[in-house]
Amino acid sequence: MKSIFLNIVICLLFFWTSTVYAILFERRKTFESEISWFVYPVAGRIPGVQDFYGLGATISGLGGTESDITIASLRGEAEYFDDDFQIYLVSIFDIPLFTKHLSFSWFSTKIINAGWPEGERGIDSDKDSTYYLLASDVNASGGEISFNILKNQLEFYYGYTEGFVKPYGLVDPNGTFYNAQDAGIIESPRGYRYGIYLDDTDNRRDPRVGYRFQYEKWGQPSSRVGNSEYFQEDYNFSGYIPVLNKGKGTLVLNQFFGSSTVIKKGTVDRGQFVCNNALNQGCQELLDELYARQLAEAENGKATSLGGTNRLRGYATNRFYDSYSNFQGIEFRWYVHEVQEAFNFFLEKGTFAGLQLAFFYEQGTVSPDKSNLWKNIRSSYGVGTRFLFNTLIVRLDRGIGDEGGETTFFVGYPF
């Protein structure tokens, strides 16, 4: 992998120093992006923890650029807490800095009474064997600097995030609650990422011919007592092949590899996972399972997970994870209707560009080692509807997997 990546960089440097203004595929002509805004309802659910609802608002196409600002406010009932769940989010993406080749993105979020699931490692993990980590207060923020050339076909970026979590407790798969002190939860999440993004397609927002390659490295310092310190590396390649006349259909192929490398192993005190089984029958069995999980997290890293909005859409978000991950996807995008219709409904303003239907099939696996990355594959398939605007794409997908189905409402393509 490293030698392939080095060759790609050398080729890119050649193109950079030459006099060309594109690589292989010229950007196709598109309509000018005008300022638009959308106010929309948001609703969701974290199984076993909370349901939430609220409003979000996005302003796009600021100053004729691809910059946008998003704010959101959500709330809902929260299990195991006395008060409601609340979240407040502000994000600013792709703000130009002095030149169109340099941009800055930033986000900040505050969450009150939050919960998130933590499942088992491995492709054969039990979906019902999930712990829920609870926090009464979460504050996180981060920024990213991006430098692009060749009509935004080549991009280098660096980002950093940090946060503060006030732990509240833990809920085991049986629904038993443990307070923060008994659960041993201490969190100060932080991390960085940097990468290179090659987008040699005819359009960055809605590609119909060309290819993309992205290499990304994530640094993950240990944020909880007993966790390992590691970094992730992701290799993501997509190809776009026109299959119908007049650009009405595109076949998309995607290959993704993820890996993790442990820098420093964590430690777990076995003495903290002992109870009096005679007084509380069955407690030691539960603590033995929790100890085994904590030991696995202390000795291994996490590659990018499968399941959710972009990979294995028929499974829940972050359903499968381990030290390595492998994913392939194929998607047919059919442009049912294309038009340029400006609209202004007070809460919604922009230019509607078309309607798309999509059909997809995906497969992937996770593994503790590289040797099993092509074995024990899970798959999902489904259909989707996409609403295309001049400044963004709104996606609604329904994926089916071995454990049922999942519905995804998201902004942007999966790959």
Side-chain angles (χ1 to χ4, degrees), residues 177-373:
F177 172 79
Y178 300 85
N179 62 40
Q181 182 177 358
D182 292 341
I185 302 175
I186 301 175
E187 293 277 355
S188 295
R190 64 192 188 282
Y192 64 87
R193 69 179 187 130
Y194 60 85
I196 180 173
Y197 184 47
L198 169 62
D199 179 51
D200 190 12
T201 67
D202 62 333
N203 185 272
R204 182 155 176 158
R205 178 185 63 88
D206 180 30
R208 305 192 188 189
V209 63
Y211 63 93
R212 285 175 174 169
F213 173 79
Q214 184 176 17
Y215 167 80
E216 188 166 77
K217 183 173 182 178
W218 295 71
Q220 301 285 352
S222 178
S223 61
R224 190 189 314 162
V225 172
N227 276 16
S228 62
E229 182 174 342
Y230 64 95
F231 63 82
Q232 298 175 222
E233 288 184 289
D234 291 343
Y235 300 84
N236 196 15
F237 183 84
S238 298
Y240 304 87
I241 306 169
V243 293
L244 295 178
N245 292 333
K246 299 181 180 180
K248 292 296 184 180
T250 302
L251 186 66
V252 187
L253 307 175
N254 178 258
Q255 172 66 64
F256 174 88
F257 287 106
S259 67
S260 62
T261 301
V262 175
I263 302 172
K264 180 182 178 182
K265 291 185 177 182
T267 58
V268 181
D269 183 0
R270 184 68 176 92
Q272 293 184 351
F273 296 86
V274 177
C275 71
N276 190 330
N277 210 53
L279 296 177
N280 189 1
Q281 189 174 6
C283 69
Q284 190 56 56
E285 181 181 355
L286 177 63
L287 288 177
D288 288 343
E289 179 184 348
L290 187 56
Y291 171 73
R293 288 195 181 196
Q294 289 290 84
L295 189 62
E297 299 304 319
E299 296 180 347
N300 300 280
K302 292 182 181 180
T304 297
S305 62
L306 302 182
T309 56
N310 295 331
R311 302 180 184 94
L312 290 187
R313 282 166 274 176
Y315 296 85
T317 300
N318 300 328
R319 172 64 182 87
F320 303 108
Y321 77 94
D322 214 318
S323 298
Y324 297 90
S325 56
N326 175 24
F327 169 86
Q328 302 90 40
I330 181 170
E331 182 170 285
F332 172 65
R333 299 172 184 169
W334 176 30
Y335 294 83
V336 179
H337 180 61
E338 291 188 88
V339 68
Q340 288 290 313
E341 292 184 354
F343 60 89
N344 188 348
F345 305 121
F346 184 64
L347 295 180
E348 315 281 342
K349 179 183 183 298
T351 302
F352 179 65
L355 176 67
Q356 178 192 98
L357 294 180
F359 307 88
F360 60 87
Y361 176 80
E362 308 165 318
Q363 61 180 26
T365 191
V366 298
S367 173
D369 52 63
K370 296 180 181 179
S371 62
N372 291 311
L373 276 179

Side-chain angles (χ1 to χ4, degrees), residues 40-43 52-57 70-76 85-90 110:
Y40 41 85
V42 179
F52 55 86
Y53 55 88
L55 287 177
T70 295
I71 59 175
S73 176
L74 311 173
R75 67 183 304 127
F85 161 82
Q86 300 176 56
I87 181 171
Y88 307 95
L89 170 71
V90 178
K110 180 178 180 61

